[in-house]
Amino acid sequence: MKSKEPVFHIVKRDDLPLYKVIGIRLIAILLALAVCSLVTILVTKLNPLDVFRAVIKGAFGSTRKTWVTMQNTSVLLLIALAVTPAFKMRFWNVGGEGQVLIGAWAAAACMINLTGKVPEWFLIVAMSVTSIFCGAVWAAIPAFFKAKWNTNDTLFTLMMNYIATQLVACFAIVWENPKGSGTIGIINNATEFGWIHIGNKYLLPILVALVMTIVTYIYLNYTKHGYEIAVVGESERTARYIGIKVDRVMIRTLLLSGGVCGLVGLILVAGVNHTLTTTLAGGRGFTAVMVSWMSHFNPFTMILTSFLLVFLNRGASEIATSFSLNTSFSDILTGIIIFFIIGCEFFIRYSISFRSSARAKEG
Amino acid sequence: MESNNIPIVKMRNITKRFGAKVLANDKVWLDIYPGEILSILGENGSGKTTLMNMLSGIYFPDEGTIEVNGQPVVIRSPKDAFALGIGMVHQHFKLVDVLTAAENIVLGLEEPFDIAASSAKIRDICSRYGFDVNPDQKIYDMSVSQKQTVEIVKVLYRNANILILDEPTAVLTPQETDKLFAVLRNMRSDGKAIVIITHKLHEVEEISDRVAILRKGQFVGDMLTKDTTPGEMTNMMVGHAVKLNIERPDPVNSKPRLEVKDLSVRSPDGILKLDHVSFTLNSGEILGIAGISGCGQKELLEAIAGLQKAESGSIQYVEDDGSLDELLGKDPLEIRQKGVALSFVPEDRLGMGLVANMDLADNMMLRSFRRGHSFLTDRKAPHDLAEHVVHDLEVVTPGISTPVRRLSGGNVQKVLVGREIASAPSILLTAYAVRGLDVNSSYVIYDLLNKQKQNGVGVLYVGEDLDVLLELCDRILVLCGGKVSGIVDGRKAEKMQIGRMMTSLGGEA
């Protein structure tokens, strides 16, 4: 009979002190590196230290690489900041991908159709307005349907991604340059007309991301809007009870969320890639969801989280090239590290108590 | 017949913790005897349900041993419990609405599915103990009391001889309670061990042979019911002597404050929840609303507060100068902005009145955050208000910045009532204001309501405990199936009369 007793059970923790939380995370990262080393040795017979060195080299090996790492971090951070207000409202906006793409599409449309017809300042204003507007509308459509008919936000925002992708695929043919290439190519490559660069060509997203981090933090924590978002997210019924118009807050928040995604689209087209492809967002609309959640919706923590993910990603592709390994191997390493980072959240929220130890204490 | 028996269940040194801080059960001893009805008495949060959940396999104890029929046992799941003949009827029924009674009863059993044979066995159980169940009736067609009967039959069908009922009378009318008790007595004569969890003293006296009392997770003692008094039981339950009378000051300077006329409300699925309800709420009185749960109480309050669309009728607020202000069709914000001070203490405190994960100050802000033209929120005023409420109502909390979910039920209620009263209402709507509160906190709430009444506030009090309604309210409106069954004088009405009015319009049998 005795052997049937459960060996342990899981207990929800009270809030842990910060140093313990950080401690658990550090242990998780060390464990992740240990497992990565083991896998590296077993699978590739390479020295894991060489591999880790390559990861760092991939992210910071040269001035250019450092800038690119920072730029990519900023873009990911911006999308994460964009989806966060929606998530805080418990509106599962997994449509960041499509909202970025549609913003990018709008910017490209302006560049291609207005170049040579208007002054550059006008083009830039027009691009900014239309891309932010398009992103906002793209996100507000599912919000409107949810507010009016309680449609499923996850499915709806997800489906909007595919529409955006197909739309861009269609226009890649309409705007193809040169003819027959099936791609749009670098827009205004010779004149750089309508390109937005501040200082060097990496700085724009970095500066915008820094400003947006602070703005988002204040918006979520200190404004009436932010308070309404928090109440709606925690309890829609309470929100109704105190007279918050839930549908209005929902649409307003998604307009903002989509608007910032649209802005990212503008930055990608006008400031970073100067072209439009269906893979422009590159899955970052989804990665951003992870960034937002892993950071518990705190904009400042998101800086670290998005940096970590970009760092791993850049390091991973470096391993692939310098050791002539398949990119899948670097994906495996990234996967192991993310598994440990997310998995350690469990130990931050719960503790495992063993029945025998409980007995021992009593005795 | 009890004490010289051998206990069928022995629980020894049972301890259960939730997280690091909550000690739900602390080395509890309990014996259960066959052929006996045992009441487990204790305030909310005293660990009654937790203890029984460990016996029925929902939780596993951290420490301690359980013996059934003299054998040490390990109960890891409700299935293990059923194998030992232990069955529990929970407060929230666990039935599938679209299935029939018989289908629900056999659900999960590993026996050949033969609904005819099962129905026959169900009928047999029913006739043996005096239940009234139609095996072919769908659950959604059933009243609360019928659903409860199905739950009990479900347990008996699994050959349970130890039956645990968690607050079985909370949802029943006095008449239904009598019927339930008759059935329980039949089962007792059949030699079954019955445990009922309750916090109502008069039920303990009426039904049980023995009473075991828990306080703050600890076993305080048990005794034969016939040897004890309500006073002694309360003292053991609360830990000190308490007065058991509720004050009822006479209404002063009463005049109509709210006129409800022919109010009809339909639920989203088309069911008529309120059917031409008319009444007047006066200032300076407490008007009680009685009725079986789900009889339109919620819809009535929500309609007045602007949270529920009405089909027809009117709700008019009577200003001090006698002019009328129609509230129907306005949303909660407009009602407030019109200067009509309605304070609504909803039944689901954490689901509707407060935000569980926010701290006290942020919860105070729910009512006031719109004030001022700044884009930013004013954090100072709600912080001050929170400090006031904590001080004035003696809220037990580690601090203003503690999330309200960490507070106990009584303190949560104080925070909510405190905030609503702070807006100086002229009408206070409360739904189940003392649900889940211990004796002391309940009296604090009654005092608060009485104070509001003496300040000239019209108080609408939806309650479930008829004894409290009869002691606290000046008038009691009885709802029956969404209709007004009658309005009675709280000082003169009889409990059985109200019980009859709850089940049939006007109280005719």
Side-chain angles (χ1 to χ4, degrees):
Chain A
M1 278 307 242
K2 280 262 178 240
S3 60
K4 268 175 67 186
E5 285 186 5
V7 184
F8 63 86
H9 60 270
I10 292 159
V11 182
K12 201 159 189 206
R13 279 189 208 267
D14 295 326
D15 289 341
L16 274 177
L18 188 66
Y19 73 92
K20 278 194 180 171
V21 173
I22 294 172
I24 289 177
R25 297 223 165 98
L26 280 178
I27 292 170
I29 290 177
L30 289 178
L31 278 175
L33 292 179
V35 175
C36 284
S37 310
L38 205 66
V39 170
T40 311
I41 294 167
L42 289 177
V43 177
T44 66
K45 313 271 189 301
L46 289 167
N47 179 353
L49 285 179
D50 289 343
V51 175
F52 292 149
R53 227 170 274 136
V55 170
I56 295 171
K57 205 179 121 213
F60 297 112
S62 66
T63 320
R64 197 193 69 85
K65 279 183 175 166
T66 310
W67 276 114
V68 172
T69 302
M70 281 168 68
Q71 187 187 50
N72 287 359
T73 303
S74 308
V75 171
L76 182 60
L77 173 61
L78 271 172
I79 305 177
L81 290 169
V83 294
T84 297
F87 277 119
K88 216 170 170 198
M89 204 178 58
R90 299 282 187 275
F91 186 107
W92 309 127
N93 180 13
V94 290
E97 194 86 358
Q99 290 146 26
V100 169
L101 216 48
I102 210 72
W105 170 82
C110 291
M111 272 175 113
I112 290 166
N113 293 311
L114 295 181
T115 296
K117 295 172 193 158
V118 294
E120 188 166 27
W121 67 265
F122 184 87
L123 173 63
I124 289 173
V125 170
M127 278 159 63
S128 310
V129 171
T130 51
S131 54
I132 291 174
F133 175 80
C134 287
V137 167
W138 215 248
I141 292 169
F144 176 80
F145 275 80
K146 182 172 165 89
K148 285 286 170 232
W149 297 288
N150 197 25
T151 52
N152 183 305
D153 36 344
T154 315
L155 276 177
F156 209 130
T157 50
L158 191 68
M159 292 304 161
M160 294 296 283
N161 288 339
Y162 299 112
I163 301 178
T165 310
Q166 293 305 316
L167 209 64
V168 169
C170 170
F171 275 89
I173 306 300
V174 175
W175 293 331
E176 71 179 339
N177 183 24
K179 284 279 170 220
S181 66
T183 58
I184 293 171
I186 304 293
I187 305 166
N188 297 345
N189 199 5
T191 58
E192 298 196 357
F193 190 72
W195 290 21
I196 310 170
H197 283 162
I198 304 174
N200 70 27
K201 57 181 180 165
Y202 305 106
L203 211 51
L204 173 73
I206 297 171
L207 290 179
V208 175
L210 283 178
V211 172
M212 282 306 294
T213 306
I214 296 165
V215 169
T216 309
Y217 183 80
I218 294 172
Y219 182 75
L220 288 177
N221 292 294
Y222 294 102
T223 65
K224 291 175 181 175
H225 283 188
Y227 183 73
E228 284 181 335
I229 288 171
V231 174
V232 171
E234 291 286 345
S235 164
E236 228 181 282
R237 276 156 47 80
T238 303
R240 291 226 158 80
Y241 155 83
I242 54 160
I244 292 176
K245 294 193 173 59
V246 175
D247 39 359
R248 203 181 286 175
V249 174
M250 206 178 273
I251 294 169
R252 184 184 72 203
T253 307
L254 265 287
L255 277 172
L256 268 172
S257 185
V260 179
C261 282
L263 176 71
V264 176
L266 167 79
I267 290 171
L268 288 177
V269 168
V272 180
N273 295 54
H274 309 298
T275 183
L276 178 66
T277 62
T278 51
T279 54
L280 186 70
R284 283 178 284 195
F286 298 108
T287 315
V289 173
M290 193 161 80
V291 172
S292 182
W293 270 99
M294 280 170 66
S295 318
H296 302 280
F297 308 139
N298 181 332
F300 292 111
T301 320
M302 280 178 216
I303 300 178
L304 287 178
T305 320
S306 43
F307 167 74
L308 179 74
L309 291 177
V310 168
F311 170 75
L312 287 175
N313 183 274
R314 308 238 336 127
S317 44
E318 177 74 21
I319 306 175
T321 46
S322 55
F323 298 101
S324 58
L325 292 170
N326 190 319
T327 43
S328 306
F329 181 69
S330 45
D331 285 344
I332 292 173
L333 295 189
T334 309
I336 291 170
I337 292 172
I338 291 175
F339 175 82
F340 275 89
I341 290 172
I342 296 178
C344 82
E345 293 296 310
F346 175 83
F347 294 93
I348 290 171
R349 290 199 191 160
Y350 300 93
S351 67
I352 290 174
S353 92
F354 289 90
R355 205 176 143 72
S356 52
S357 68
R359 280 252 174 90
K361 254 185 250 158
E362 188 200 9
Chain B
M1 71 184 201
E2 304 88 5
S3 45
N4 47 12
N5 234 332
I6 309 157
I8 188 166
V9 174
K10 276 195 210 171
M11 299 179 90
R12 292 287 177 269
N13 276 322
I14 300 289
T15 296
K16 181 75 191 170
R17 288 185 196 86
F18 293 114
K21 288 193 190 125
V22 184
L23 190 58
N25 281 146
D26 185 10
K27 300 199 178 70
V28 176
W29 285 55
L30 188 75
D31 289 333
I32 300 171
Y33 296 92
E36 184 190 77
I37 299 180
L38 169 71
S39 294
I40 297 190
L41 183 67
E43 296 193 309
N44 285 83
S46 60
K48 303 172 300 230
T49 305
T50 307
L51 184 66
M52 287 301 109
N53 274 341
M54 284 188 276
L55 193 55
S56 63
I58 306 274
Y59 296 143
F60 192 81
D62 292 345
E63 288 161 29
T65 55
I66 301 175
E67 284 180 24
V68 176
N69 289 320
Q71 296 291 317
V73 294
V74 174
I75 306 172
R76 294 183 58 160
S77 69
K79 218 171 162 184
D80 290 353
F82 275 127
L84 294 164
I86 302 167
M88 181 158 172
V89 175
H90 295 270
Q91 229 171 337
H92 302 284
F93 304 144
K94 298 170 186 338
L95 297 168
V96 183
D97 264 357
V98 294
L99 298 184
T100 66
E103 284 163 346
N104 266 287
I105 288 166
V106 298
L107 200 64
L109 281 179
E110 286 164 13
E111 59 176 30
F113 183 72
D114 177 359
I115 209 78
S118 303
S119 295
K121 190 174 164 194
I122 292 166
R123 286 205 181 83
D124 181 48
I125 293 172
C126 291
S127 62
R128 202 153 99 213
Y129 299 110
F131 290 113
D132 181 18
V133 172
N134 174 4
D136 304 322
Q137 197 178 356
K138 301 265 191 199
I139 299 298
Y140 59 75
D141 274 338
M142 292 189 174
S143 70
V144 179
S145 123
Q146 283 172 309
K147 286 181 196 168
Q148 187 182 53
T149 314
V150 173
E151 286 279 13
I152 298 174
V153 174
K154 187 160 95 184
V155 170
L156 292 173
Y157 191 92
R158 285 158 173 74
N159 300 318
N161 46 23
I162 303 159
L163 215 82
I164 307 160
L165 299 126
D166 192 358
E167 307 225 2
T169 61
V171 291
L172 303 181
T173 65
Q175 285 77 8
E176 288 166 339
T177 303
D178 285 348
K179 232 164 100 183
L180 172 71
F181 284 177
V183 172
L184 292 184
R185 288 192 189 98
N186 288 341
M187 291 197 278
R188 172 177 61 187
S189 344
D190 202 34
K192 296 201 185 293
I194 294 160
V195 182
I196 77 169
I197 301 174
T198 183
H199 58 246
K200 294 183 185 166
L201 294 173
H202 61 93
E203 282 174 5
V204 173
E205 295 189 289
E206 193 184 333
I207 184 79
S208 66
D209 304 305
R210 208 157 53 87
V211 52
I213 297 170
L214 293 184
R215 183 171 74 231
K216 292 182 179 143
Q218 288 174 327
F219 177 70
V220 190
D222 65 343
M223 56 235 175
L224 295 180
T225 313
K226 61 175 190 283
D227 297 339
T228 183
T229 60
E232 188 191 8
M233 287 191 280
T234 322
N235 292 355
M236 288 175 75
M237 190 160 90
V238 183
H240 54 84
V242 283
K243 55 166 187 141
L244 288 173
N245 295 316
I246 303 172
E247 276 178 49
R248 176 161 48 192
D250 283 325
V252 275
N253 192 12
S254 234
K255 56 182 180 185
R257 179 55 82 197
L258 191 75
E259 303 264 11
V260 176
K261 283 199 197 94
D262 284 326
L263 181 68
S264 293
V265 168
R266 230 174 250 285
S267 68
D269 39 358
I271 299 162
L272 200 58
K273 298 299 269 187
L274 288 178
D275 188 359
H276 294 90
V277 168
S278 301
F279 67 92
T280 303
L281 170 67
N282 297 319
S283 59
E285 74 161 353
I286 299 183
L287 175 64
I289 308 269
I292 306 170
S293 63
C295 259
Q297 296 95 324
K298 179 169 158 262
E299 287 76 10
L300 176 60
L301 293 199
E302 293 193 352
I304 298 173
L307 294 163
Q308 169 83 50
K309 278 203 183 84
E311 197 172 58
S312 61
S314 74
I315 300 172
Q316 287 176 314
Y317 179 85
V318 187
E319 304 274 6
D320 283 334
D321 59 8
S323 62
L324 298 173
D325 206 347
E326 178 61 53
L327 300 187
L328 219 52
K330 296 199 172 78
D331 66 37
L333 200 55
E334 282 177 293
I335 291 177
R336 195 157 280 272
Q337 281 163 347
K338 273 255 169 186
V340 179
L342 274 181
S343 281
F344 180 33
V345 180
E347 65 183 296
D348 188 358
R349 293 187 285 271
L350 282 176
M352 193 158 178
L354 298 168
V355 180
N357 283 328
M358 288 186 174
D359 67 18
L360 267 69
D362 277 4
N363 268 295
M364 292 296 157
M365 206 155 86
L366 281 172
R367 278 288 183 218
S368 60
F369 77 96
R370 288 188 195 81
R371 271 186 216 141
H373 294 288
S374 165
F375 190 63
L376 301 179
T377 46
D378 168 20
R379 304 231 151 210
K380 175 110 179 50
H383 190 270
D384 293 347
L385 176 59
E387 274 178 350
H388 262 288
V389 169
V390 167
H391 179 259
D392 293 352
L393 305 186
E394 293 165 6
V395 178
V396 181
T397 169
I400 306 292
S401 51
T402 306
V404 289
R405 77 184 135 85
R406 293 270 178 81
L407 307 187
S408 72
N411 288 308
V412 168
Q413 186 74 3
K414 283 183 196 168
V415 170
L416 179 56
V417 173
R419 184 190 73 204
E420 295 300 302
I421 291 174
S423 60
S426 56
I427 295 174
L428 182 62
L429 309 173
T430 67
Y432 310 114
V434 297
R435 179 181 275 179
L437 297 201
D438 59 37
V439 178
N440 276 326
S441 309
S442 302
Y443 280 89
V444 173
I445 299 294
Y446 300 144
D447 284 347
L448 282 172
L449 295 181
N450 273 327
K451 224 172 268 168
Q452 291 300 304
K453 163 181 163 178
Q454 281 165 308
N455 288 344
V457 176
V459 180
L460 206 59
Y461 177 91
V462 173
E464 47 198 344
D465 191 331
L466 287 184
D467 296 301
V468 172
L469 278 165
L470 282 166
E471 280 186 66
L472 177 71
C473 301
D474 300 299
R475 293 185 301 148
I476 299 169
L477 183 155
V478 187
L479 283 175
C480 170
K483 289 191 178 120
V484 176
S485 191
I487 298 179
V488 295
D489 186 330
R491 289 175 177 76
K492 292 179 193 144
E494 296 268 335
K495 190 174 164 188
M496 284 322 248
Q497 174 203 355
I498 295 181
R500 278 194 300 277
M501 290 167 73
M502 281 160 68
T503 45
S504 64
L505 277 186
E508 281 111 43

